[in-house]
Amino acid sequence: MQLDQATRRRLTDATLAVVIGGLVVTAAAFHDGTTLVDYALITLGSLTLAAYRGAPRVVLAITTATTTAYVVHAHPGSLSALPVLAAVYTAARAGHRAVAALASAVFLAGFAATGPATQEIVERTTLLTGWFLCALVTGLADRNWQAYLRQTEQRALEAERTREEAALRRAGEERLRIARELHDSLTHSISIVKLQAGVAVHLARKRGEDVPPALLAIQEAGGEAMRELRATLDVLRTDEPTGTPALLVERARAAGLAVDLRVTGEERALTATVDRAAYRIVQEALTNAARHAGPAKVTVELDYAPCELTIRVDDDGVARPARQLRPGIGLTGMRERVTALGGTLQAGPRAEGGFSVRAELPLGIPEDVS
């Protein structure tokens, strides 16, 4: 079983405390006069180090008190300072410089008072003073280094966010440019064709002549082209959804399409990318059904699973399995959206007749699901 980061840290801290305690206990075992009380003080002062991340000052106080008491009682060697050195380092690393310096002074005073002021005691105390100064300086340097790393990471994240915003802004500007070009180059021409066809139909009917079918087809195609162009320009001018799948279903019903909406699972808020993709998939599927399915009944299903959203749009229209499917721009765009999110898309005629679109969009693993 793989352990999470917090558990690994706790195990590492506990292992470090046991190792330090083991070293001091081993040294005490070779020292004459070590009692059970001394072993208890060593054990308490060392094992307390395992909790330094959550309460560095409390750990420093307990370790300093117990180890100083052990030193004053048993007069051990310099290795007895190891638990206090570790506690001073962790306290300085957490930013408690004054408390760490005070604890160092208390322990050094207790160590110096373990015997008469002989040259050996002075040398050992001086050596330990250097160790404690190193622990303080190293702890502070490590704290500053960690702060520098955090600032560097924040600047990198900010730079990445700025690049993404700039890319989105450039993409939006490009969409607007394309929309303007399409509007300027196509709208006027299509309007002229539609207008001239309408005038010709009107004059033919006014004179009592039969309207040529080709002229009616031109008039109808012009109107359809204008509607398609307006829809395309709307999409280019904004990439954000303008509603919800439920609103799309209501609009389709108002336009005369027989649509049912079914929602299963626990409906919840989606991320912006998934929400946008779901909206566009339902929109494109309903548009295709309105264009190509004929007088059909359409069913839209949204299934919210813990880690996945399944969208299914079925119709019982004129599509048949024997007819070869030629994906258009709409289906291609749908597939690109789904693939970009790491999902899957299935679109094609149904065996019983009609057309089916099924998209599976991953939602990620929720926090309460292990």
Side-chain angles (χ1 to χ4, degrees):
M1 181 180 64
Q2 188 175 6
L3 301 177
D4 57 17
Q5 186 176 6
T7 303
R8 289 197 299 270
R9 285 181 177 177
R10 287 193 292 268
L11 289 176
T12 302
D13 297 342
T15 302
L16 180 62
V18 170
V19 170
I20 292 175
L23 291 174
V24 180
V25 167
T26 301
F30 290 95
H31 187 268
D32 295 335
T34 304
T35 65
L36 292 177
V37 174
D38 297 325
Y39 285 117
L41 290 173
I42 295 171
T43 302
L44 178 60
S46 300
L47 296 184
T48 305
L49 293 171
Y52 79 89
R53 293 184 188 272
R57 287 181 294 184
V58 175
V59 169
L60 177 63
I62 295 175
T63 301
T64 302
T66 55
T67 308
T68 303
Y70 160 61
V71 168
V72 172
H73 181 263
H75 301 181
S78 301
L79 193 60
S80 60
L82 192 57
V84 184
L85 278 170
V88 167
Y89 167 78
T90 56
R93 186 174 182 270
H96 309 300
R97 294 171 293 180
V99 178
L102 178 61
S104 301
V106 170
F107 178 81
L108 289 172
F111 188 86
T114 56
T118 62
Q119 181 178 359
E120 182 182 0
I121 290 297
V122 172
E123 290 178 352
R124 290 165 61 186
T125 303
T126 303
L127 180 61
L128 284 179
T129 301
W131 288 6
F132 277 100
L133 285 176
C134 288
L136 280 168
V137 172
T138 304
L140 292 174
D142 190 21
R143 173 180 173 82
N144 293 334
W145 175 249
Q146 294 297 328
Y148 171 75
L149 290 180
R150 286 193 295 270
Q151 291 176 359
T152 303
E153 183 179 0
Q154 290 175 356
R155 286 196 295 268
L157 292 175
E158 180 67 20
E160 180 67 23
R161 185 183 64 82
T162 303
R163 284 194 296 269
E164 291 178 355
E165 290 179 351
L168 290 174
R169 184 173 61 253
R170 287 194 297 269
E173 292 172 353
E174 182 65 14
R175 288 198 308 272
L176 290 177
R177 187 190 67 80
I178 295 173
R180 287 193 298 268
E181 291 294 333
L182 286 176
H183 180 273
D184 295 341
S185 61
L186 295 181
T187 303
H188 178 71
S189 299
I190 295 175
S191 298
I192 293 298
V193 171
K194 183 175 180 297
L195 177 62
Q196 290 178 345
V199 171
V201 170
H202 174 73
L203 292 177
R205 287 173 177 170
K206 186 176 182 180
R207 291 193 296 264
E209 301 174 354
D210 293 335
V211 180
L215 196 57
L216 293 175
I218 292 173
Q219 185 184 31
E220 183 179 355
E224 181 66 20
M226 287 297 297
R227 288 189 292 271
E228 292 288 341
L229 182 58
R230 291 193 188 98
T232 302
L233 294 177
D234 289 340
V235 172
L236 287 173
R237 288 193 175 103
T238 173
D239 193 39
E240 296 296 327
T242 56
T244 62
L247 182 59
L248 289 173
V249 170
E250 291 299 326
R251 291 175 180 172
R253 287 173 182 166
L257 190 65
V259 189
D260 287 335
L261 176 63
R262 301 173 187 172
V263 180
T264 57
E266 183 180 353
E267 188 173 0
R268 58 190 183 276
L270 306 175
T271 62
T273 53
V274 175
D275 187 49
R276 185 183 303 117
Y279 180 89
R280 296 303 186 199
I281 290 169
V282 174
Q283 182 184 47
E284 183 63 29
L286 290 176
T287 301
N288 287 341
R291 291 176 183 169
H292 309 299
K297 184 176 181 181
V298 184
T299 302
V300 178
E301 297 183 4
L302 303 177
D303 181 21
Y304 290 85
C307 303
E308 186 178 68
L309 171 65
T310 300
I311 303 171
R312 183 163 183 168
V313 182
D314 295 341
D315 66 68
D316 57 359
V318 298
R320 294 293 181 269
R323 298 176 61 181
Q324 184 178 4
L325 174 63
R326 295 182 179 178
I329 297 177
L331 285 178
T332 302
M334 247 193 283
R335 191 173 301 280
E336 290 174 349
R337 286 181 180 274
V338 174
T339 303
L341 295 175
T344 59
L345 177 71
Q346 298 175 355
R350 301 192 303 167
E352 61 272 28
F355 200 82
S356 176
V357 174
R358 178 186 175 90
E360 297 176 353
L361 304 178
L363 302 180
I365 300 177
E367 297 181 356
D368 57 345
V369 177
S370 57

